[in-house]
Amino acid sequence: MIIDKREEKGVVILEPAGRLDSNTAPVLEQEIDSVGAGNDGHHLLVDFSNVEYISSAGLRVVLKVVKARQTSPKSFAVSSMQDHVREVFEISGFDAFISIYPDAMQAVVSFA
Amino acid sequence: MIMSITTPQITFSLRNSLSELDHLREQVALTGQQWKLPKKTVLQINLVLDELFTNIVSYGFDDTLDHSIVISMEYDGETMQITMTDDGHAFDINQADNPELDISPDKKDVGGLGIFMVRQYVDDISCERNKGKNITMLTKKISRGEADDHR
């Protein structure tokens, strides 16, 4: 899995491309772990524009970030989901506790 | 259930390795093309099989040997019957609990999320254990509205 990483206005944006399943989720997990969540860390946005498929293995990575950042000064959001990915988030109830934005720009603004 | 002899059937087999998820994706995509299934249905079937397959590979075996997981699909134009056979530890999906989604930082990771998703996307699940093998049978109705949505 290829993951594009960039920074905008103090927000680290990770943009994975392809399918997020039990085979590829560890790659995203590792990349997320490398973004600090402490005072000197960054807000984190995962941009799902190029993710066409997500399984529970991908959801589990997202859940781990949510938990890790609950007591952190740095927040977390996701954006730009394709229909299937959005549906999986909704059906599993994840949309209840994760900030989902239509695009990366709106997400970045929300961190300000 | 006795299926008509003309009911199309597709069978394929995967090794017990997560890298086989690519092979699974290809097979499901090919099946979708052949049976003119809507894209959404193809993704849902892929997800269901992915979750079950990942469970088997992750928890089904203690040894380091190669095992085959055989998936067979039948479609009569309205309903899809999927049968998955593996020789891993006895496992009955209907006995598994749904996850408790608790996002407190001190709570452990949730299990059962994959099984929960399988339940959302199929209409019926039944399991049996026969001669050391788990046979998991899934029924999924393919609605006409969805089928017309094919592209």
Side-chain angles (χ1 to χ4, degrees):
Chain A
M1 158 163 275
I2 294 165
I3 303 173
D4 184 65
K5 185 178 182 178
R6 61 185 193 276
E7 199 183 318
E8 271 176 45
K9 298 174 181 166
V11 180
V12 169
I13 304 172
L14 296 179
E15 198 179 312
R19 298 166 66 86
L20 206 44
D21 57 25
S22 49
N23 205 19
T24 57
V27 183
L28 178 63
E29 186 173 9
Q30 202 172 13
E31 199 61 57
I32 285 173
D33 286 346
S34 73
V35 181
N39 280 319
D40 54 349
H42 293 88
H43 295 306
L44 175 65
L45 168 66
V46 178
D47 180 328
F48 279 91
S49 305
N50 296 314
V51 175
E52 64 196 47
Y53 173 93
I54 188 168
S55 75
S56 68
L59 286 181
R60 216 164 271 124
V61 172
V62 172
L63 185 66
K64 190 184 157 197
V65 192
V66 173
K67 285 183 175 182
R69 286 181 176 249
Q70 271 198 332
T71 53
S72 148
K74 304 296 177 184
S75 33
F76 169 66
V78 296
S79 76
S80 327
M81 291 175 172
Q82 297 181 23
D83 286 350
H84 168 74
V85 175
R86 173 108 204 177
E87 186 186 286
V88 169
F89 266 77
E90 286 172 359
I91 227 164
S92 56
F94 272 49
D95 57 329
F97 55 81
I98 293 171
S99 310
I100 303 177
Y101 294 91
D103 58 58
M105 212 166 73
Q106 289 185 48
V108 168
V109 170
S110 78
F111 287 119
Chain B
M1 184 191 287
I2 299 164
M3 304 295 282
S4 142
I5 201 157
T6 55
T7 303
Q9 184 179 0
I10 289 173
T11 300
F12 57 93
S13 142
L14 305 170
R15 276 181 307 111
N16 58 322
S17 157
L18 291 182
S19 63
E20 287 279 87
L21 284 170
D22 285 335
H23 187 194
L24 173 64
R25 175 188 59 79
E26 283 165 19
Q27 290 293 337
V28 175
L30 277 174
T31 304
Q33 278 170 17
Q34 204 162 329
W35 292 345
K36 298 189 169 26
L37 300 175
K39 188 182 169 196
K40 188 176 170 175
T41 305
V42 171
L43 284 166
Q44 290 177 353
I45 292 169
N46 194 153
L47 182 66
V48 165
L49 294 176
D50 170 337
E51 299 294 351
L52 293 172
F53 175 78
T54 296
N55 260 359
I56 294 165
V57 172
S58 306
Y59 308 111
F61 308 103
D62 294 328
D63 58 36
T64 52
L65 302 172
D66 272 356
H67 297 267
S68 290
I69 293 114
V70 179
I71 295 169
S72 170
M73 299 196 268
E74 287 183 1
Y75 179 50
D76 64 5
E78 287 179 358
T79 304
M80 190 170 299
Q81 302 280 352
I82 304 173
T83 307
M84 203 163 182
T85 308
D86 69 86
D87 63 348
H89 299 311
F91 176 69
D92 183 339
I93 183 175
N94 287 325
Q95 304 292 323
D97 291 332
N98 273 331
E100 266 183 68
L101 276 185
D102 189 329
I103 56 168
S104 325
D106 52 332
K107 285 276 166 142
K108 279 198 170 162
D109 236 9
V110 287
L113 195 53
I115 300 298
F116 174 77
M117 303 229 283
V118 170
R119 289 188 178 128
Q120 305 309 304
Y121 284 125
V122 298
D123 296 287
D124 187 64
I125 306 172
S126 67
C127 299
E128 59 183 62
R129 180 86 178 167
N130 190 1
K131 292 176 185 159
K133 290 186 173 175
N134 296 305
I135 302 160
T136 306
M137 287 157 287
L138 311 165
T139 306
K140 182 172 175 63
K141 293 191 184 99
I142 313 293
S143 82
R144 219 175 158 74
E146 284 179 70
D148 291 340
D149 188 33
H150 168 69
R151 56 183 169 264

